Amino acid sequence: MSDIIKLLPDHVANQIAAGEVVQRPSSVVKELLENSIDAGATQIQLIIKDAGKTLIQVIDNGKGMSMTDARMAFERHATSKISTADDLFNLQTKGFRGEALASVAAIAQIVVKSKRLEDDLGTLLEIEGSKVTRQEPVVTSPGTMISVRNLFYNVPARRKFLKSDQVELRNITDEFHRVAMVHPEVAISFTHNDTSLFNLIRSTHRQRIVSIMGAKTNEKLVPVEEETELMTIKGYIGKPEFARKTRGLQYFFVNDRFIKHNYLNHAVVSAFEGLLKDKSNPAYFLYLTVPTDSVDINIHPTKTEVKFDDEHSLYAILRASVKHALGQFSVNSIDFQQEKQYEVPYDVAKNNQTQAPKIEVNPDFNPFQQESNSSKSFQTTSYQKPPSQPWEALYTGIEETSQIVDETHQEESTTSIFQQHEVEQRNIFQLQRKFVISTLKSGLLVVNQQRAHERILYEKLLRQLTVQNGVSQQLLFPIKINLPVEEVAVLVNLQEELEHTGFQFKSLENNVVEIEGLPLELKEKDVPAVLEAVIAKEQQDLPENAYSPADRLAQTMAANMSIKTGESLTNEAMQNLVDELFACKEPEITAAGKRIFINLSGDSLNSKFN
Ligand code: ADP
Ligand code: MG
């Protein structure tokens, strides 16, 4: 019998190795991004189609490759990054195994364009299943473009095991975050199915973290800094109230490489002792630097675990620095038992309510009059009083209770603006497409159209949100909007509230929002702007308890759905606007505290002619 052991052909060996290195699209993303960083790129674009199943493309402005190197790059164990075993203990780069590109090339269709700055022409290379199918000179800009199409096209069993687009995109986004967070000096963008998910400019670490995690993050970061012989620590921890149930926001980077480390994680968590609610996980973004020969990152190509020489000392240093940072910013006295505040300008307890200025000429008109039966446990939303204006002379002092005002002026005027409308035809017209002016028996009413509409919508929306009876207009064709993944996540958090206002979502996941029903007052063309505003508001850093989510949502939506200054109104629209305004609970000021109308009495007009 003849001998039976054979060497596997390269493409088979590569395919087996690929199983180790490339488990899913995100593994390719990681390898390509890291190669671009290693190549000294200052600008990187990541372009993905169908969660990486169709296309993964990375374009960088790094040092590029010569024609020979471009070809060599796809050989197994071919690397420019180390040349001796000793180099393994002094790694300055992310890559060193020289097997990523060879592995990817075994299981996908690859196109490379690369050019070094010093060369006139670049190289175009096409590889499919480890075979070079084309190589020729090409005109291209300095740097490297690699596109990886149809991952696992020749390994159906692997392709079948890929998860849903949503899961694979999540994994890719995680890898993107990890690379982007360690390299704020690199401008980096991420596009999925032609939607831009991130476009990050060069910045500091802090700015980078904030632009990835959302503007809300900024105020919650506490800097940590420590320099010892064994380790340098830089970075941020989240204030205790930033802690979450999930472990999402925990990042260790060791020598610019994302790692997971249970023991070091414990060091940080234990520094928070006594400051966290049960089972919540503190956020941290910590950049650790240790001497390259004191850490072994060589455990596994796709694993994020590392082994340190002196873990116990690192534990102690890390714990102490985090404790110190927490102490310095005296964030250790946070009261977790803060009560949730309720909105509602409705049914507000009388003694508790905002004192809005009363109008001298129309004393009967009192929006609060009938409201007195509400429970005391509700607090009013605090409205800003409008700033002092000369025309405030038109109003009586706000100290008096409405009851007294009513009595003192009973004789002078007995009809409210409302009632007056019923008895006589108002003259109404628009001024500068901004004000609605109406004649009253006693003078002139000047209404700011945008603010009036905002107030009307705000109260409607808030009512729907608290009573939960929003009416929807069904759309013939659903609206589809692409938004960054994390913005869609904001909407998911608000989904219930949005539905109370009349929104109906067909889907709300990944980066796609599909809407089949809208609040009655919302015009289709205004939908993107309204959603954008709602998201922006949520991402803003607000004093946590100033407004409840429902109140915030109602305010933001109202402000964005309202008639704007510059819109011309029909007579009927103006009549309705005024009627609806005075049917509001608080017609004088917008939710943001801006004055909505003024009333020029005959008397005050008279005084002007003196
Ligand atoms: P490793 O990164 O471990 O060296 P890879 O297979 O990822 O192995 O890459 C092989 C080689 O190809 C690298 O050592 C590098 O010389 C070259 N290379 C890969 N990507 C790029 C790039 N974007 N720009 C310049 N050179 C690159
Ligand atoms: Mg590499």
Side-chain angles (χ1 to χ4, degrees), residues 287-492:
Y287 302 84
L288 316 177
T289 312
V290 299
T292 47
D293 60 357
S294 74
V295 56
D296 182 4
I297 55 158
N298 196 6
I299 300 175
H300 191 277
T302 59
K303 293 283 176 342
T304 45
E305 279 83 23
V306 299
K307 181 96 190 65
F308 295 101
D309 277 357
D310 188 356
E311 291 188 341
H312 297 301
S313 305
L314 299 186
Y315 182 101
I317 298 169
L318 188 58
R319 184 168 186 270
S321 346
V322 172
K323 260 190 177 292
H324 179 70
L326 283 167
Q328 271 218 323
F329 284 79
S330 57
V331 287
N332 40 7
S333 56
I334 307 287
D335 173 15
F336 297 117
Q337 255 50 64
Q338 279 174 335
E339 283 219 24
K340 200 176 147 69
Q341 205 178 23
Y342 296 87
E343 71 287 338
V344 243
Y346 308 102
D347 305 325
V348 155
K350 258 229 153 133
N351 51 355
N352 217 358
Q353 78 192 23
T354 310
Q355 297 268 356
K358 301 295 174 299
I359 303 155
E360 195 172 17
V361 287
N362 283 295
D364 274 2
F365 167 63
N366 171 16
F368 305 115
Q369 205 162 10
Q370 64 273 52
E371 319 300 337
S372 56
N373 52 347
S374 74
S375 95
K376 290 209 161 64
S377 63
F378 277 67
Q379 286 175 279
T380 62
T381 306
S382 53
Y383 292 113
Q384 247 173 280
K385 291 209 180 87
S388 272
Q389 297 282 325
W391 42 257
E392 269 202 343
L394 290 169
Y395 299 88
T396 57
I398 55 169
E399 261 66 56
E400 295 166 297
T401 71
S402 44
Q403 215 47 52
I404 295 169
V405 177
D406 287 346
E407 281 160 16
T408 39
H409 294 276
Q410 218 144 35
E411 283 171 348
E412 285 174 40
S413 165
T414 50
T415 49
S416 74
I417 291 172
F418 235 166
Q419 289 157 344
Q420 186 183 355
H421 166 60
E422 283 157 13
V423 285
E424 64 180 34
Q425 183 58 41
R426 296 195 280 255
N427 281 318
I428 199 160
F429 61 95
Q430 202 180 12
L431 183 69
Q432 299 175 333
R433 294 196 177 163
K434 180 171 185 184
F435 302 108
V436 171
I437 298 184
S438 172
T439 50
L440 301 172
K441 215 161 143 192
S442 56
L444 270 185
L445 175 73
V446 183
V447 178
N448 181 313
Q449 65 186 43
Q450 179 169 346
R451 293 181 185 178
H453 197 218
E454 206 177 306
R455 162 55 68 180
I456 295 165
L457 289 173
Y458 167 70
E459 293 202 3
K460 259 189 209 162
L461 288 164
L462 196 50
R463 202 176 308 125
Q464 291 167 356
L465 279 162
T466 42
V467 202
Q468 313 186 345
N469 66 347
V471 186
S472 265
Q473 42 169 327
Q474 292 295 314
L475 294 169
L476 210 50
F477 304 102
I479 310 175
K480 203 167 164 180
I481 303 172
N482 286 321
L483 289 171
V485 190
E486 67 280 5
E487 296 192 1
V488 175
V490 172
L491 295 180
V492 171

Side-chain angles (χ1 to χ4, degrees), residues 494-510:
L494 279 176
Q495 182 167 3
E496 210 178 309
E497 282 93 352
L498 287 166
E499 285 172 353
H500 292 325
T501 70
F503 273 105
Q504 282 175 9
F505 296 99
K506 191 166 171 212
S507 83
L508 201 53
E509 37 178 38
N510 284 332

Side-chain angles (χ1 to χ4, degrees), residues 31 34-35 38 81 95-96 100:
E31 295 296 338
E34 291 189 345
N35 279 346
D38 283 345
K81 299 171 191 175
F96 59 89

